[in-house]
Amino acid sequence: MSDCIFCKIANGEVPTDFLFEDGNVVAFRDLNPQAPTHVLIVPKAHYANIADGVPAEVLKSMADAVEAVAEAEGVRDSGFRCIMNTGAAAGQTVMHLHMHVLGGAPLGEGLLPKEA
Ligand code: 5GP
Ligand code: ZN
């Protein structure tokens, strides 16, 4: 999609340092990090979110990227959190599938709604 920032990053139109890249995905640091490690794993092809018919090989690449990023960032053993906000009610602001990988500090517990 021509006006999608993550398409532009993934296809090289917006120069970005990648922590991981394969044929299906890239990983790069979030612009506004919420933890010492805050990396986004983004498919090269445009899918709106995880419920948009994502092929198995893309999901496998995302899992490979999680493993590589966690290892490179030194959080593989200490623990980290993977988040995919899906749709407006979940706070998704960039409508191109991405997984947040957060770690490097205590992240708290639970996944309660804001107004539980
Ligand atoms: P969402 O709220 O959609 O789950 O997360 C979108 C994330 O993308 C946010 O954490 C935001 O900081 C990040 N982001 C938005 N635009 C850019 C950008 O141009 N570059 C990078 N590296 N991150 C971005
Ligand atoms: Zn896109």
Side-chain angles (χ1 to χ4, degrees):
M1 288 177 77
S2 57
D3 60 346
C4 171
I5 182 61
F6 284 2
C7 280
K8 289 179 180 169
I9 290 173
N11 72 22
E13 205 176 318
V14 173
T16 303
D17 289 333
F18 295 148
L19 286 75
F20 176 91
E21 179 176 12
D22 71 5
N24 298 309
V25 306
V26 295
F28 52 89
R29 296 194 190 282
D30 195 290
L31 197 60
N32 182 24
Q34 305 298 308
T37 290
H38 189 170
V39 174
L40 301 173
I41 296 171
V42 174
K44 292 182 173 179
H46 185 96
Y47 307 97
N49 58 52
I50 191 64
D52 190 22
V54 186
E57 68 170 274
V58 175
L59 297 173
K60 172 69 167 88
S61 286
M62 292 183 80
D64 290 345
V66 168
E67 195 171 345
V69 165
E71 179 71 31
E73 293 287 295
V75 298
R76 185 175 178 153
D77 295 331
S78 57
F80 56 93
R81 183 169 291 160
C82 298
I83 297 173
M84 286 188 275
N85 294 324
T86 304
Q92 185 179 2
T93 59
V94 177
M95 297 305 177
H96 176 133
L97 172 61
H98 54 280
M99 181 189 291
H100 299 254
V101 178
L102 295 148
L107 295 170
E109 296 174 7
L111 288 169
L112 293 174
K114 265 186 187 161
E115 295 173 38

